[in-house]
Amino acid sequence: MKFFKIAVSLFRMKKWSGGMVIIGLAAILVLSYGLMGTQPQKKQSAYDFFRNHPANDSHSKDTGRLSPSHMDIKKATKSSIRPHFVNVEGLNDLYASNNISKEESKALLVWSQMRLLLSRSDALPETAQGIKEASVAWKDLLSMIEEDKTMKSSKIDKPEDKTCPYSLSTINRTTSSNGTILEIPCGLVEDSSITVVGIPDGHNGSFQIALEGSKLLEDQNPPIILHYKVRLPGDNMTEEAFIVQNTWTNEHGWGKEERCHAHGSARNTKPKVDGLVLCNEQIVRSTGEENLNTSHASGDVLANVSQGGAHATANFPFAEGNPFTATLWVGSEGFHMTVNGRHETSFAFREKLEPWEVSRVKVDGVLDVLSLLAKELPVSEDHDLVVDVELLKAPAVKRKRIAMLVGVFSTGNNFERRMALRRSWMQYEAVRSGDVAVRFFIGLHKNGQVNYELWKEAQAYGDVQLMPFVDYYSLISLKTVAICIMGTKILPAKYIMKTDDDAFVRIDEVITSLKGKASSSLLYGLISFESSPHRDKESKWYISNEEWPHSSYPPWAHGPGYIISRDIAKFIAEGHRRRDLKLFKLEDVAMGIWIEQFKNSGQKVQYTSDERFYNAGCEANYILAHYQSPRLVLCLWEKLQKEHQPNCCE
């Protein structure tokens, strides 16, 4: 009221202009005084965040923490409606207070800064499921950690830890009216295999091999990552025989089946999986033709094939009374079945149904199972027994800004791959000196034992950053944002590199190559300048018109390995914090889209393509070689040490 009376008296003054100036100054003083109580918040460590963040904090409170004092970013494309924050089931559980120590929380540095990203109304389609399942896995992991601490403090002898075995056989099986079951405790990885030795014992019947996942409490049945059904031929093979492959989930039921007929067309125009056809060529042959083609089929199968059927084919690998050995193995793109030494079928991985999710194998139907063997399973090392553990630990980062942060995308049960990287290119002097920091970005696993092994690994080596969601391929772009957050806010770096855990990176050559490149506005890697969205719904990279309405993508670098400059990483981290950038499920293309927006904001982007970043395989003089198994990674490193030349192993 006092201020109002002063204003009225000033307006009665004859010198109106002077009065207006005084009013303006007074208003500024009042506003400044009112804002004095607003102090900038102190930066929280991951440890402080988990200590002080109650489980029932509302998202509106989180939204209030977004400070307008941060540098505004000029946006190329601005949505008319900015995404808002929504409540996501399980998210509070992932950010509830816990008893994790400050030292342990170093594996959660990025985790603590991703809550708002996961709360967006325009989140990727699988985000809600990934968070819900992660909350269950996180609570189980915290319980296991707490139990371990209690036993250590009480000096109680801890029962022998469950481990992730390298192989399992029929000794571990359970047989019931529902068939033969083999539990797979830590999922499958690339090159894992399931071998079934059996004898079909019923004509005109069928048997199934199912790879099942873990089910949530509210689910009636577990998801089926692969359902492999064999329909046997009838008497004299006159009934049609076929193989059907499919998937099943509680949410969508059965997927689209893929069928291979015993006398199907030899032409196979469908896309290949890991270079292999979906169905082996099944050729219709008359009785006379069979004798000319016996070299193409297994002798065991031919021994009992009738020569009289009109549709008889010696190519079909299963028949009543004939023993067979069938090996189902995991490739990089899908599952493959080999029967009696010959490739028969392939099946591409489907969204949210990936090999790491497999928790058991179930075989049932008209089949006498003689043997069931799983091998090449993911195995975690006993870190207490690792002789060179100190040499494998992430070195301390002492500089305020490092030369480069390398974010390696990995999956929880890929233990062997990570150890191969620690013993190979992570031993470069630039890494050991702390100039280059390498961190693995890993989502939670649905298997409790895998998460516990992963937690121990993170504490042993200090190079793992856990993500607050289950590691679905469709959520991989969230990791891309995470490495940008880490490279700009947690471990500030001049450059940020993204790569995969099956890639070999010549760090020395990367650093040398960057010396001649721009230090800002840079995208460096194997760049695709002309590409279009996949509109085939069966494709792993399918993109709908709603997700991307344009006929082509902006330039993007292939995902196995690329480098961006700090200013681009900062633009991405800030753009997602401000909800100005759209999420996109293909992470390498997403990076290209975000860089396009960075360019449209007035920046001139340096697109630098280098063919020495090999997207698939290895070639001499490589900078990066992709699809390298742990054995090949170690072999490449040994070659570099002995020959001092970037030569491939295969």
Side-chain angles (χ1 to χ4, degrees), residues 349-409:
F349 301 140
R350 291 185 176 174
E351 201 166 61
K352 293 195 302 179
L353 296 167
E354 299 163 39
W356 60 262
E357 296 182 69
V358 175
S359 61
R360 69 176 189 170
V361 181
K362 181 180 177 182
V363 183
D364 64 351
V366 291
L367 180 68
D368 183 12
V369 178
L370 304 179
S371 174
L372 187 57
L373 170 68
K375 65 177 184 177
E376 297 281 349
L377 302 177
V379 179
S380 175
E381 293 194 27
D382 188 335
H383 310 295
D384 295 330
L385 300 179
V386 175
V387 177
D388 54 350
V389 65
E390 291 302 321
L391 296 176
L392 302 180
K393 284 184 177 180
V397 177
K398 299 177 181 178
R399 298 173 55 181
K400 288 186 177 179
R401 181 178 295 185
I402 59 176
M404 184 167 68
L405 167 69
V406 182
V408 183
F409 289 6

Coordinates of all heavy atoms in Angstrom, one line a residue, residues 349-409:
F349 N 15.9 -61.6 -34.6 CA 15.4 -61.2 -33.3 C 14.2 -60.2 -33.4 O 14.3 -59.4 -34.4 CB 16.5 -60.4 -32.5 CG 17.7 -61.3 -32.2 CD1 19.0 -60.7 -32.3 CD2 17.6 -62.6 -31.8 CE1 20.1 -61.4 -32.1 CE2 18.8 -63.3 -31.6 CZ 20.0 -62.8 -31.7
R350 N 13.3 -60.3 -32.5 CA 12.2 -59.3 -32.6 C 12.3 -58.4 -31.4 O 12.9 -58.6 -30.4 CB 10.9 -60.1 -32.6 CG 10.6 -60.8 -33.9 CD 9.3 -61.5 -34.0 NE 9.1 -62.1 -35.3 CZ 8.0 -62.9 -35.6 NH1 7.1 -63.1 -34.7 NH2 7.9 -63.4 -36.8
E351 N 11.6 -57.2 -31.6 CA 11.7 -56.2 -30.6 C 11.3 -56.7 -29.2 O 10.2 -57.3 -29.0 CB 10.8 -55.0 -31.0 CG 11.2 -53.7 -30.3 CD 10.5 -52.5 -31.0 OE1 9.3 -52.5 -31.1 OE2 11.2 -51.6 -31.5
K352 N 12.1 -56.3 -28.2 CA 11.9 -56.7 -26.8 C 12.0 -58.2 -26.5 O 11.7 -58.7 -25.4 CB 10.5 -56.2 -26.3 CG 10.3 -54.7 -26.2 CD 9.1 -54.3 -25.4 CE 7.8 -54.9 -26.0 NZ 6.6 -54.6 -25.2
L353 N 12.4 -59.0 -27.5 CA 12.6 -60.4 -27.4 C 14.0 -60.8 -27.9 O 14.2 -61.2 -29.0 CB 11.5 -61.2 -28.2 CG 10.1 -60.9 -27.7 CD1 9.1 -61.5 -28.7 CD2 9.8 -61.6 -26.4
E354 N 14.9 -60.6 -27.0 CA 16.3 -60.7 -27.3 C 17.0 -61.8 -26.5 O 16.5 -62.3 -25.5 CB 17.0 -59.3 -27.0 CG 16.4 -58.2 -27.9 CD 16.8 -56.8 -27.4 OE1 17.9 -56.6 -26.9 OE2 15.9 -55.9 -27.4
P355 N 18.1 -62.4 -27.0 CA 18.7 -63.6 -26.4 C 19.1 -63.4 -24.9 O 19.0 -64.4 -24.2 CB 19.9 -63.9 -27.3 CG 20.2 -62.6 -28.0 CD 18.9 -61.9 -28.2
W356 N 19.4 -62.2 -24.5 CA 19.8 -62.1 -23.1 C 18.6 -62.3 -22.1 O 18.8 -62.5 -20.9 CB 20.4 -60.7 -22.8 CG 19.5 -59.5 -23.1 CD1 19.5 -58.8 -24.3 CD2 18.5 -58.9 -22.3 NE1 18.6 -57.8 -24.2 CE2 17.9 -57.9 -23.0 CE3 18.0 -59.2 -21.0 CZ2 16.9 -57.1 -22.5 CZ3 17.0 -58.4 -20.5 CH2 16.5 -57.4 -21.2
E357 N 17.4 -62.3 -22.7 CA 16.2 -62.5 -21.8 C 15.9 -63.9 -21.6 O 15.1 -64.2 -20.7 CB 15.0 -61.8 -22.5 CG 15.0 -60.3 -22.7 CD 13.8 -59.8 -23.3 OE1 12.7 -59.8 -22.6 OE2 13.8 -59.4 -24.5
V358 N 16.5 -64.8 -22.3 CA 16.2 -66.3 -22.2 C 16.5 -66.8 -20.8 O 17.6 -66.6 -20.3 CB 16.9 -67.1 -23.2 CG1 16.6 -68.6 -23.0 CG2 16.5 -66.7 -24.7
S359 N 15.5 -67.4 -20.1 CA 15.8 -67.9 -18.8 C 15.6 -69.4 -18.7 O 16.0 -70.1 -17.7 CB 14.8 -67.3 -17.8 OG 13.5 -67.6 -18.1
R360 N 15.0 -70.0 -19.7 CA 14.9 -71.5 -19.8 C 14.6 -72.0 -21.2 O 14.1 -71.3 -22.0 CB 13.9 -72.0 -18.8 CG 12.5 -71.8 -19.1 CD 11.6 -72.4 -18.0 NE 10.2 -72.4 -18.4 CZ 9.2 -73.0 -17.7 NH1 9.6 -73.8 -16.7 NH2 8.0 -72.9 -18.1
V361 N 15.0 -73.3 -21.4 CA 14.6 -74.0 -22.6 C 13.6 -75.1 -22.3 O 13.8 -75.8 -21.4 CB 15.9 -74.6 -23.3 CG1 15.5 -75.3 -24.6 CG2 17.0 -73.5 -23.5
K362 N 12.6 -75.1 -23.1 CA 11.5 -76.1 -22.9 C 11.3 -76.9 -24.2 O 11.1 -76.4 -25.2 CB 10.2 -75.5 -22.5 CG 9.1 -76.4 -22.2 CD 7.8 -75.7 -21.8 CE 6.7 -76.6 -21.5 NZ 5.4 -75.8 -21.2
V363 N 11.4 -78.3 -24.0 CA 11.2 -79.2 -25.2 C 10.1 -80.1 -24.9 O 10.1 -80.8 -23.8 CB 12.5 -80.0 -25.5 CG1 12.3 -80.8 -26.7 CG2 13.7 -79.1 -25.7
D364 N 9.1 -80.1 -25.7 CA 8.0 -81.1 -25.5 C 7.4 -81.5 -26.8 O 7.7 -81.0 -27.9 CB 6.9 -80.4 -24.6 CG 6.2 -79.2 -25.2 OD1 6.7 -78.8 -26.2 OD2 5.3 -78.7 -24.6
G365 N 6.4 -82.5 -26.7 CA 5.8 -83.0 -27.9 C 6.2 -84.4 -28.2 O 6.7 -85.1 -27.3
V366 N 6.0 -84.9 -29.4 CA 6.3 -86.3 -29.7 C 7.8 -86.5 -30.0 O 8.2 -86.7 -31.1 CB 5.5 -86.8 -30.9 CG1 4.0 -86.9 -30.5 CG2 5.6 -85.8 -32.1
L367 N 8.6 -86.4 -28.9 CA 10.0 -86.4 -29.1 C 10.6 -87.1 -27.8 O 10.3 -86.7 -26.7 CB 10.6 -85.0 -29.2 CG 12.1 -84.9 -29.4 CD1 12.6 -85.6 -30.7 CD2 12.6 -83.5 -29.3
D368 N 11.5 -88.1 -28.0 CA 12.2 -88.7 -27.0 C 13.6 -88.0 -26.9 O 14.4 -88.1 -27.7 CB 12.5 -90.2 -27.3 CG 13.2 -90.9 -26.1 OD1 13.3 -90.3 -25.0 OD2 13.7 -92.0 -26.3
V369 N 13.7 -87.1 -25.8 CA 14.9 -86.3 -25.7 C 16.0 -87.2 -25.1 O 15.9 -87.6 -23.9 CB 14.6 -85.1 -24.8 CG1 15.9 -84.3 -24.6 CG2 13.6 -84.2 -25.4
L370 N 17.1 -87.4 -25.8 CA 18.2 -88.1 -25.3 C 19.2 -87.2 -24.6 O 19.9 -87.7 -23.7 CB 18.9 -88.8 -26.5 CG 18.1 -89.8 -27.4 CD1 18.9 -90.4 -28.5 CD2 17.4 -90.8 -26.5
S371 N 19.4 -86.0 -25.1 CA 20.3 -85.1 -24.5 C 19.9 -83.7 -24.8 O 19.4 -83.4 -25.8 CB 21.7 -85.4 -25.1 OG 22.7 -84.4 -24.6
L372 N 20.2 -82.8 -23.8 CA 20.0 -81.4 -23.9 C 21.2 -80.6 -23.3 O 21.5 -80.8 -22.2 CB 18.7 -81.0 -23.2 CG 18.1 -79.6 -23.4 CD1 17.9 -79.2 -24.8 CD2 16.8 -79.4 -22.6
L373 N 21.8 -79.8 -24.2 CA 23.1 -79.2 -23.8 C 23.1 -77.7 -24.2 O 22.8 -77.4 -25.3 CB 24.3 -79.9 -24.4 CG 25.6 -79.2 -24.3 CD1 26.1 -79.2 -22.9 CD2 26.7 -79.9 -25.2
A374 N 23.4 -76.9 -23.2 CA 23.6 -75.4 -23.5 C 25.0 -75.1 -23.2 O 25.6 -75.5 -22.1 CB 22.7 -74.6 -22.6
K375 N 25.7 -74.4 -24.1 CA 27.1 -74.0 -23.9 C 27.4 -72.7 -24.5 O 26.5 -72.0 -25.1 CB 28.0 -75.1 -24.5 CG 28.0 -75.2 -26.0 CD 29.0 -76.2 -26.5 CE 29.0 -76.3 -28.0 NZ 30.1 -77.2 -28.5
E376 N 28.6 -72.2 -24.2 CA 29.0 -70.8 -24.6 C 28.1 -69.8 -23.9 O 27.8 -68.8 -24.5 CB 29.0 -70.6 -26.1 CG 29.9 -71.5 -26.9 CD 31.4 -71.0 -26.9 OE1 31.6 -69.9 -26.4 OE2 32.3 -71.8 -27.3
L377 N 27.7 -70.1 -22.7 CA 26.9 -69.2 -21.9 C 27.7 -68.1 -21.3 O 28.9 -68.3 -21.1 CB 26.1 -70.0 -20.8 CG 25.3 -71.2 -21.3 CD1 24.6 -71.9 -20.1 CD2 24.2 -70.7 -22.2
P378 N 27.1 -67.0 -21.0 CA 27.9 -65.9 -20.4 C 28.4 -66.2 -19.0 O 27.7 -66.7 -18.2 CB 26.8 -64.7 -20.3 CG 25.5 -65.4 -20.3 CD 25.7 -66.6 -21.1
V379 N 29.7 -65.9 -18.8 CA 30.3 -66.3 -17.5 C 31.0 -65.0 -17.0 O 31.7 -64.3 -17.7 CB 31.4 -67.4 -17.7 CG1 32.1 -67.7 -16.4 CG2 30.7 -68.6 -18.3
S380 N 30.8 -64.7 -15.7 CA 31.5 -63.6 -15.1 C 32.7 -64.1 -14.3 O 32.7 -65.2 -13.7 CB 30.5 -63.0 -14.1 OG 31.2 -62.0 -13.3
E381 N 33.8 -63.4 -14.5 CA 35.0 -63.8 -13.8 C 34.9 -63.5 -12.3 O 34.2 -62.6 -11.8 CB 36.2 -63.0 -14.3 CG 36.5 -63.4 -15.8 CD 37.9 -62.9 -16.2 OE1 38.8 -62.8 -15.3 OE2 38.1 -62.7 -17.4
D382 N 35.6 -64.3 -11.5 CA 35.7 -64.1 -10.1 C 36.8 -63.0 -9.9 O 38.0 -63.2 -10.0 CB 36.2 -65.3 -9.3 CG 36.1 -65.2 -7.8 OD1 36.2 -64.0 -7.3 OD2 36.0 -66.2 -7.1
H383 N 36.3 -61.7 -9.6 CA 37.2 -60.6 -9.6 C 38.2 -60.6 -8.5 O 39.3 -60.0 -8.6 CB 36.3 -59.3 -9.6 CG 35.2 -59.2 -10.6 ND1 35.5 -59.2 -11.9 CD2 33.9 -59.3 -10.5 CE1 34.4 -59.2 -12.6 NE2 33.4 -59.2 -11.7
D384 N 37.9 -61.4 -7.5 CA 38.9 -61.5 -6.4 C 40.1 -62.4 -6.8 O 41.1 -62.3 -6.2 CB 38.2 -62.2 -5.1 CG 37.1 -61.3 -4.5 OD1 37.3 -60.0 -4.7 OD2 36.1 -61.8 -4.0
L385 N 39.9 -63.2 -7.8 CA 41.0 -64.0 -8.3 C 41.7 -63.5 -9.5 O 42.6 -64.1 -10.0 CB 40.4 -65.4 -8.6 CG 39.7 -66.2 -7.4 CD1 39.2 -67.5 -7.8 CD2 40.7 -66.3 -6.2
V386 N 41.2 -62.4 -10.0 CA 41.9 -61.8 -11.2 C 43.2 -61.2 -10.8 O 43.3 -60.3 -10.0 CB 41.0 -60.7 -11.9 CG1 41.7 -60.1 -13.0 CG2 39.7 -61.3 -12.4
V387 N 44.3 -61.8 -11.4 CA 45.7 -61.4 -11.0 C 46.0 -60.0 -11.3 O 46.6 -59.2 -10.5 CB 46.7 -62.4 -11.7 CG1 48.1 -61.9 -11.3 CG2 46.5 -63.8 -11.3
D388 N 45.6 -59.5 -12.5 CA 45.9 -58.2 -13.0 C 44.8 -57.2 -12.8 O 44.7 -56.2 -13.5 CB 46.3 -58.2 -14.5 CG 45.2 -58.9 -15.3 OD1 44.3 -59.5 -14.7 OD2 45.3 -58.8 -16.6
V389 N 44.0 -57.4 -11.7 CA 42.8 -56.5 -11.5 C 43.2 -55.0 -11.4 O 42.5 -54.1 -11.9 CB 42.0 -57.0 -10.3 CG1 42.8 -56.8 -9.0 CG2 40.7 -56.2 -10.2
E390 N 44.4 -54.7 -10.8 CA 44.8 -53.3 -10.6 C 45.1 -52.7 -12.0 O 44.9 -51.5 -12.2 CB 46.0 -53.2 -9.7 CG 45.6 -53.5 -8.2 CD 44.6 -52.6 -7.7 OE1 44.6 -51.4 -8.0 OE2 43.7 -53.1 -6.9
L391 N 45.6 -53.5 -12.9 CA 45.9 -52.9 -14.2 C 44.7 -52.8 -15.1 O 44.7 -52.1 -16.1 CB 46.9 -53.9 -14.9 CG 48.3 -54.0 -14.3 CD1 49.1 -55.1 -15.0 CD2 49.0 -52.7 -14.3
L392 N 43.6 -53.4 -14.7 CA 42.4 -53.3 -15.5 C 41.4 -52.3 -14.9 O 40.4 -52.0 -15.6 CB 41.7 -54.7 -15.5 CG 42.5 -55.9 -16.0 CD1 41.7 -57.2 -15.9 CD2 43.0 -55.6 -17.4
K393 N 41.6 -51.8 -13.7 CA 40.7 -50.8 -13.2 C 40.8 -49.5 -13.9 O 41.9 -49.1 -14.5 CB 41.1 -50.5 -11.7 CG 40.7 -51.6 -10.7 CD 41.0 -51.2 -9.3 CE 40.5 -52.3 -8.3 NZ 40.8 -51.9 -6.9
A394 N 39.7 -48.8 -13.9 CA 39.7 -47.4 -14.6 C 40.6 -46.5 -13.8 O 40.5 -46.4 -12.6 CB 38.3 -46.9 -14.6
P395 N 41.6 -45.9 -14.4 CA 42.5 -45.0 -13.7 C 41.8 -43.7 -13.3 O 40.8 -43.3 -13.8 CB 43.6 -44.6 -14.8 CG 42.9 -44.9 -16.1 CD 41.9 -46.0 -15.9
A396 N 42.3 -43.1 -12.2 CA 41.7 -41.9 -11.7 C 41.8 -40.8 -12.7 O 42.8 -40.6 -13.4 CB 42.4 -41.5 -10.4
V397 N 40.8 -40.0 -12.8 CA 40.7 -38.8 -13.7 C 41.1 -37.6 -12.9 O 40.3 -37.2 -12.0 CB 39.4 -38.7 -14.4 CG1 39.4 -37.4 -15.3 CG2 39.0 -39.9 -15.2
K398 N 42.2 -37.0 -13.2 CA 42.7 -35.9 -12.4 C 42.6 -34.5 -13.1 O 42.7 -33.5 -12.5 CB 44.2 -36.1 -12.0 CG 44.4 -37.4 -11.2 CD 45.9 -37.6 -10.9 CE 46.1 -38.9 -10.1 NZ 47.6 -39.2 -9.9
R399 N 42.4 -34.6 -14.4 CA 42.2 -33.4 -15.2 C 40.8 -32.9 -15.2 O 39.8 -33.6 -15.1 CB 42.7 -33.6 -16.6 CG 44.1 -34.0 -16.8 CD 44.4 -34.4 -18.2 NE 44.1 -33.4 -19.2 CZ 44.3 -33.5 -20.5 NH1 44.8 -34.7 -20.9 NH2 44.0 -32.6 -21.3
K400 N 40.6 -31.5 -15.2 CA 39.3 -30.9 -15.3 C 38.6 -31.3 -16.6 O 37.4 -31.4 -16.6 CB 39.4 -29.4 -15.1 CG 39.8 -29.0 -13.7 CD 39.7 -27.5 -13.5 CE 40.0 -27.1 -12.1 NZ 40.0 -25.6 -11.9
R401 N 39.3 -31.4 -17.6 CA 38.8 -31.7 -18.9 C 39.7 -32.7 -19.6 O 40.9 -32.4 -19.9 CB 38.5 -30.5 -19.8 CG 37.9 -30.9 -21.2 CD 37.6 -29.7 -22.0 NE 36.6 -28.8 -21.4 CZ 36.1 -27.8 -22.0 NH1 36.5 -27.4 -23.3 NH2 35.1 -27.0 -21.4
I402 N 39.2 -33.9 -19.9 CA 40.0 -34.9 -20.6 C 39.9 -34.8 -22.1 O 39.1 -34.0 -22.6 CB 39.5 -36.3 -20.2 CG1 38.1 -36.6 -20.5 CG2 39.8 -36.5 -18.7 CD1 37.6 -38.0 -20.2
A403 N 40.8 -35.5 -22.8 CA 40.8 -35.4 -24.3 C 39.5 -36.0 -24.9 O 38.9 -35.5 -25.8 CB 42.0 -36.1 -24.8
M404 N 39.1 -37.2 -24.4 CA 38.0 -37.9 -25.0 C 37.4 -38.9 -24.0 O 38.0 -39.5 -23.2 CB 38.5 -38.7 -26.2 CG 37.3 -39.4 -27.0 SD 37.8 -40.0 -28.6 CE 39.0 -41.3 -28.2
L405 N 36.0 -38.9 -24.0 CA 35.3 -39.9 -23.3 C 34.8 -40.9 -24.3 O 34.2 -40.5 -25.3 CB 34.1 -39.3 -22.5 CG 33.0 -40.3 -22.0 CD1 33.6 -41.1 -20.9 CD2 31.7 -39.6 -21.6
V406 N 35.0 -42.2 -24.0 CA 34.5 -43.3 -24.9 C 33.4 -44.0 -24.2 O 33.6 -44.6 -23.1 CB 35.6 -44.3 -25.3 CG1 35.1 -45.3 -26.2 CG2 36.8 -43.5 -25.9
G407 N 32.2 -43.9 -24.7 CA 31.1 -44.6 -24.1 C 30.8 -45.9 -24.9 O 30.6 -45.9 -26.1
V408 N 31.0 -47.0 -24.2 CA 30.8 -48.3 -24.8 C 29.4 -48.9 -24.4 O 29.1 -49.1 -23.2 CB 31.9 -49.3 -24.3 CG1 31.8 -50.7 -25.1 CG2 33.3 -48.7 -24.6
F409 N 28.6 -49.2 -25.4 CA 27.3 -49.7 -25.1 C 27.4 -51.2 -25.0 O 28.0 -51.9 -25.8 CB 26.3 -49.4 -26.3 CG 25.9 -48.0 -26.4 CD1 26.5 -47.0 -25.6 CD2 24.9 -47.6 -27.3 CE1 26.1 -45.7 -25.6 CE2 24.5 -46.2 -27.4 CZ 25.1 -45.3 -26.5

